[in-house]
Amino acid sequence: MSERPVIEFIDLKAQRQHIGKAMDDAILKVVHDGNYILGEQVQQFEAGLADFCGAKHAIGVANGTDALILVLEALGIGPGDAVLCPSFTFAATAEVVAWMGATPVFAEIDEATYNIDPKALAAALDTARKHELRPRALITVDLFGQSCDYEPIEAFCKQNELVLISDSAQGYGANYKGRVAGAIGDFATTSFFPAKPLGCYGDGGAILTDSDEHADLLRSLRFHGKGSYKYDNVRVGVNSRLDTIQAAVLIEKLKVYAEELEKRQLVAQRYTQALKDLVVTPYVMPDCVSTWAQYTIRVDADRRDAFQAALKAKGVPTTVYYPKPLHQQTAYKHFPVAGNGLPISERVAQEVVALPMHPYLDVATQDYIIEAVREALKREASAA
């Protein structure tokens, strides 16, 4: 093999170099202006974020988890209510429901996309009702950067009077049949955690909606429930405002986001073309474009540890998103599970492996990773 490159799983330093002095200037402007809380950059970024996906309103908040919590708070969801959601996801998806005193009801995923399966929603709804819960909402997760199959999901929500909350922390900006994630659902939420496709230099998040009424309510809730000014508290709220410095960072990152999404497509295409004969590569639905928050392959469960070890020995980092579905975790295993269990979620969790993915993976490094993956796969296959 060629000389070993230094490989970052997600190379934020390369992105920083690409943006260059504009980022320094943006951050220093906030420092010099001294408007650290809800400065002009917050409103500027909110407008740009909404415009990028086609939503009417964007409300910047402190992090992606708060974005979900504030939506549930705005809807008045609480004890006795059920929120349908996947189990093959990060803990925040169910955490926010439990935090509000409501009950997450875990639904099965589609094995090809890893997103919640529209055909599994009826079983989840029945499970909620059997537990004498009021079904109020559905939280979908655009896992690994691909939008869920929203047409049947939207129809199901409309038929059953469920609020659709699209968690696009990994998928903001993805394309679903001509629509852009962030403007799909009654509400969309996103996270700007640094590792996300659109990430800041700390914590940050946002809520997107077309509802004027809910946008006003959410702006109040994120700022201690303020009314006409900050000492006029008309409701109980929280302190969850997007930091002005992080907004300044995100303005610069949003300028290159479309370009970065195109570069991610090229990396994913090269990976898939080179690996599809040896391993299960990601499936993207027709007329859809992923943000490729992660590039996730699947290997046999009993070979995954050895496969990762072989790549580590070659200097290729890998990560497992997610090693255990939520319904199997201590904090969440007492919540209802739809149907006769979630065998797909459980099986997939034992097989998935994410390879390095970011817009600044040069071709030589891609080739090195591909060669290392192919060698490891062939070695494990011959040992089986």
Side-chain angles (χ1 to χ4, degrees), residues 243-254:
D243 182 82
T244 305
I245 288 180
Q246 300 303 341
V249 168
L250 287 161
I251 288 169
E252 298 307 314
K253 288 201 174 189
L254 191 60

Side-chain angles (χ1 to χ4, degrees), residues 42 45-46 49 59-72 90-93 95-96 99 167-170 188-194 196 198-208 218 222 238-244 246-247 250:
V42 175
F45 172 66
E46 288 174 338
L49 189 74
I59 301 96
V61 296
N63 56 69
T65 305
D66 279 4
L68 288 166
I69 289 175
L70 286 167
V71 170
L72 298 181
F90 184 61
T93 306
E95 177 182 50
V96 296
W99 185 261
D167 180 349
S168 291
Q170 297 179 20
T189 65
T190 192
S191 166
F192 304 125
F193 184 78
K196 296 293 189 275
L198 182 61
C200 58
Y201 288 172
D203 274 318
I207 305 161
L208 299 112
L218 289 161
R222 74 172 177 182
V238 298
N239 179 16
S240 184
R241 298 166 299 214
L242 179 64
D243 182 82
T244 305
Q246 300 303 341
L250 287 161

Side-chain angles (χ1 to χ4, degrees), residues 24 42 49 82 85 92 97 105 129 159 165 193 232 234 257 259 296 315 344 382:
D24 296 338
V42 175
L49 189 74
C85 63
V97 180
V105 177
R129 289 169 174 161
Q159 180 181 358
I165 305 166
F193 184 78
D232 174 30
V234 298
Y257 192 50
E259 171 194 338
T296 300
I344 297 174
S382 63

Side-chain angles (χ1 to χ4, degrees), residues 114-246:
Y114 312 127
N115 285 328
I116 199 164
D117 187 349
K119 299 186 295 296
L121 295 177
L125 192 68
D126 289 344
T127 298
R129 289 169 174 161
K130 286 176 182 177
H131 283 77
E132 299 183 344
L133 298 167
R134 296 182 297 272
R136 294 285 309 280
L138 165 64
I139 299 178
T140 57
V141 178
D142 296 335
L143 201 68
F144 303 155
Q146 178 171 201
S147 292
C148 297
D149 190 2
Y150 278 112
E151 288 179 354
I153 289 172
E154 289 171 322
F156 179 86
C157 288
K158 183 176 181 181
Q159 180 181 358
N160 294 284
E161 299 182 333
L162 297 175
V163 176
L164 176 56
I165 305 166
S166 172
D167 180 349
S168 291
Q170 297 179 20
Y172 173 81
N175 194 289
Y176 173 77
K177 300 182 178 180
R179 301 160 67 190
V180 181
I184 301 175
D186 297 296
F187 301 88
T189 65
T190 192
S191 166
F192 304 125
F193 184 78
K196 296 293 189 275
L198 182 61
C200 58
Y201 288 172
D203 274 318
I207 305 161
L208 299 112
T209 184
D210 286 344
S211 168
D212 296 342
E213 179 182 358
H214 280 115
D216 288 342
L217 175 57
L218 289 161
R219 290 189 180 100
S220 170
L221 287 171
R222 74 172 177 182
F223 196 159
H224 301 290
K226 79 179 186 69
S228 57
Y229 69 109
K230 68 179 181 178
Y231 298 124
D232 174 30
N233 304 106
V234 298
R235 57 182 59 86
V236 176
V238 298
N239 179 16
S240 184
R241 298 166 299 214
L242 179 64
D243 182 82
T244 305
I245 288 180
Q246 300 303 341

Side-chain angles (χ1 to χ4, degrees), residues 252-286:
E252 298 307 314
K253 288 201 174 189
L254 191 60
K255 291 177 182 177
V256 301
Y257 192 50
E259 171 194 338
E260 290 187 340
L261 292 180
E262 291 178 1
K263 290 180 177 179
R264 286 174 179 269
Q265 308 309 312
L266 298 177
V267 177
Q269 288 166 12
R270 294 195 81 243
Y271 275 170
T272 298
Q273 186 62 34
L275 301 176
K276 64 183 180 181
D277 62 321
L278 289 178
V279 72
V280 177
T281 53
Y283 168 77
V284 178
M285 296 180 294

